[in-house]
Amino acid sequence: MNRHELSTEHADLRAAVEEFARTEVAPVIGDFYERGAFPYDIVAKMGRMGLFGLPFPEEHGGMGGDYFALCLALEELARVDSSVAITLEAGVSLGAMPLYRFGSDDQRKTYLPRLCSGEALGAFGLTEPGGGSDAGGTRTTARLEGGEWVINGTKSFITNSGTDITSLVTVTAVTGRREDGRPEISAILVPAGTPGFSIGQHYSKVGWNASDTNELVFEDCRVPEANLVGERGRGYAQFLRILDEGRIAIAALSVGLAQGCVDESVRYAHERSAFGHTIGEYQAIQFKIAEMEARAHTARLAYYDAASRMLAGEPFKKEAAIAKLIASNAAMDNARDATQVFGGYGFMNEFPVGRFYRDAKILEIGEGTSEVQKMLIARELGLPA
């Protein structure tokens, strides 16, 4: 991939998802959003398009594409709605990718085909009620007993964890102590419906209202020892790799929201009149929209660069953090400005920019806060940890 140009395959994919978002998602998603309902039909259509299998090999039921293809799809979906986009992002990056990167052959064979087809969703149980950004402070425990892991603990803010098609959650848990006394953290696969595994509260959220987010509770939940994902004690390192990749995906989603704000503002500037002129004729509005476009464009280049480095096998941790930081800021700033362009109508849920405004803030928090991104960038520059 050239860092600034799309291949024919990527361009065709982007165009196909753009049309899907415009014709299939945009006309109906507002109703799902207002009802807080999960859009099963839209997810099924995305599955049939192959979107959940984009970065996975055909041998696992995937499309044989790459991670950048996923990012392009996320950007186009988020131009219309972020709930649908985050459902895809979490299903691929957090649900299926840990199994693909670190799972056993049996785990891949059992779960990946249905995850790639969109018939099933996976989730990643990392965050805990008292943890937040301190993922190393995991309190959920798993002990071996009679060839089984016995899991106890609670996970918070877990996307795709409580839908009717959720098939598994991969959880991080303390499985022992290292020689230096630090916790040994491992990743363990828990199938949906396992006794002792229950869905806790379904959150009432500010945004992403058409996506699924729940608390997970484990009470003496038993799964086979073979459900360990990757090496014992490597769960923390594994999730860091998954989050590095996920930050590029969230940056792409953020760019989509930022660009969607531009799209809606340009359209409205042509339609809305005030004091005898369309508002687009006023320089104050023109300059505001121009700044919005500059933010979206700059953020897009940042995630393109991070994705190209990742696909080339080059170090990309710093670039992923930069992309996530810049893009989430752009999304938040553009959502605020788009709401201002729309005036009172921007505060109404019937207009997409109202939804964009509600959805934007979480992008500065999820998969690593803006403060965490700055910390990562500083470390990559060699500043003291």
Side-chain angles (χ1 to χ4, degrees):
M1 179 189 83
N2 183 290
R3 288 181 178 171
H4 303 296
E5 296 180 3
L6 300 184
S7 67
T8 300
E9 293 80 5
H10 284 141
D12 289 345
L13 170 69
R14 188 205 62 76
V17 179
E18 178 187 26
E19 181 179 5
F20 172 78
R22 178 172 47 82
T23 61
E24 300 287 342
V25 179
V28 299
I29 195 61
D31 177 63
F32 285 99
Y33 196 94
E34 286 304 297
R35 292 187 289 114
F38 189 77
Y40 287 99
D41 289 345
I42 292 175
V43 171
K45 291 177 181 178
M46 290 162 56
R48 289 193 289 271
M49 289 179 67
L51 300 188
F52 286 94
L54 278 173
F56 302 111
E58 294 178 10
E59 65 184 278
H60 296 305
M63 297 295 289
D66 55 31
Y67 205 84
F68 182 60
L70 170 66
C71 290
L72 290 174
L74 291 171
E75 179 182 346
E76 293 305 320
L77 289 171
R79 285 177 71 170
V80 168
D81 179 72
S82 291
S83 293
V84 170
I86 195 60
T87 298
L88 175 62
E89 192 278 334
V92 175
S93 180
L94 300 179
M97 195 59 74
L99 297 185
Y100 173 63
R101 294 284 187 213
F102 310 111
S104 66
D105 289 340
D106 285 344
Q107 289 168 350
R108 295 191 190 103
K109 182 178 179 180
T110 300
Y111 292 103
L112 278 183
R114 295 189 72 235
L115 294 176
C116 288
S117 71
E119 297 173 72
L121 292 174
F124 191 70
L126 172 66
T127 306
E128 297 189 354
S133 297
D134 182 18
T138 298
R139 296 185 179 181
T140 296
T141 62
R143 69 179 190 277
L144 274 177
E145 185 177 286
E148 295 180 316
W149 292 107
V150 183
I151 307 170
N152 285 279
T154 303
K155 299 292 184 177
S156 300
F157 316 132
I158 310 304
T159 305
N160 291 346
S161 57
T163 74
D164 294 343
I165 58 174
T166 299
S167 64
L168 65 97
V169 58
T170 301
V171 299
T172 51
V174 176
T175 52
R177 291 283 167 181
R178 300 182 183 276
E179 293 182 0
D180 60 6
R182 292 185 301 170
E184 171 194 84
I185 298 177
S186 305
I188 301 171
L189 187 157
V190 182
T194 301
F197 168 33
S198 60
I199 306 300
Q201 64 171 317
H202 180 80
Y203 297 103
S204 174
K205 297 172 292 186
V206 172
W208 285 0
N209 286 354
S211 71
D212 176 78
T213 314
N214 301 280
E215 179 184 69
L216 307 181
V217 179
F218 301 90
E219 298 175 300
D220 289 336
C221 174
R222 293 176 175 267
V223 298
E225 184 176 356
N227 281 29
L228 181 72
V229 177
E231 299 178 35
R232 177 169 177 169
R234 294 286 296 169
Y236 190 73
Q238 290 170 192
F239 103 80
L240 287 178
R241 168 62 191 267
I242 293 298
L243 288 187
D244 283 341
E245 297 176 358
R247 287 178 182 124
I248 304 175
I250 292 296
L253 192 157
S254 300
V255 169
L257 189 152
Q259 192 65 58
C261 290
V262 176
D263 297 341
E264 292 296 322
S265 296
V266 169
R267 180 188 59 77
Y268 191 70
H270 285 297
E271 295 176 354
R272 174 69 168 171
S273 294
F275 306 104
H277 300 273
T278 62
I279 63 172
E281 294 179 66
Y282 295 109
Q283 202 171 60
I285 298 297
Q286 293 176 359
F287 282 6
K288 190 178 292 291
I289 296 176
E291 288 180 355
M292 293 163 62
E293 174 69 7
R295 292 187 196 114
H297 178 76
T298 303
R300 181 178 296 108
L301 293 179
Y303 97 71
Y304 274 27
D305 178 63
S308 69
R309 292 174 187 275
M310 173 188 165
L311 296 182
E314 301 172 6
F316 66 94
K317 181 184 287 288
K318 181 182 71 174
E319 288 75 17
I322 290 172
K324 205 271 186 181
L325 177 64
I326 294 298
S328 60
N329 286 344
M332 192 67 212
D333 290 343
N334 278 16
R336 183 180 60 250
D337 282 352
T339 303
Q340 195 71 17
V341 168
F342 272 70
Y345 289 110
F347 202 61
M348 301 296 113
N349 285 326
E350 65 185 279
F351 288 86
V353 294
R355 199 165 68 239
F356 294 164
Y357 188 75
R358 292 166 65 178
D359 289 340
K361 183 56 191 176
I362 188 59
L363 297 171
E364 296 182 316
I365 298 172
E367 293 203 36
T369 63
S370 294
E371 290 75 17
V372 166
Q373 306 315 311
K374 294 173 185 177
M375 178 183 71
L376 292 172
I377 295 166
R379 287 179 179 176
E380 289 297 305
L381 292 173
L383 296 172

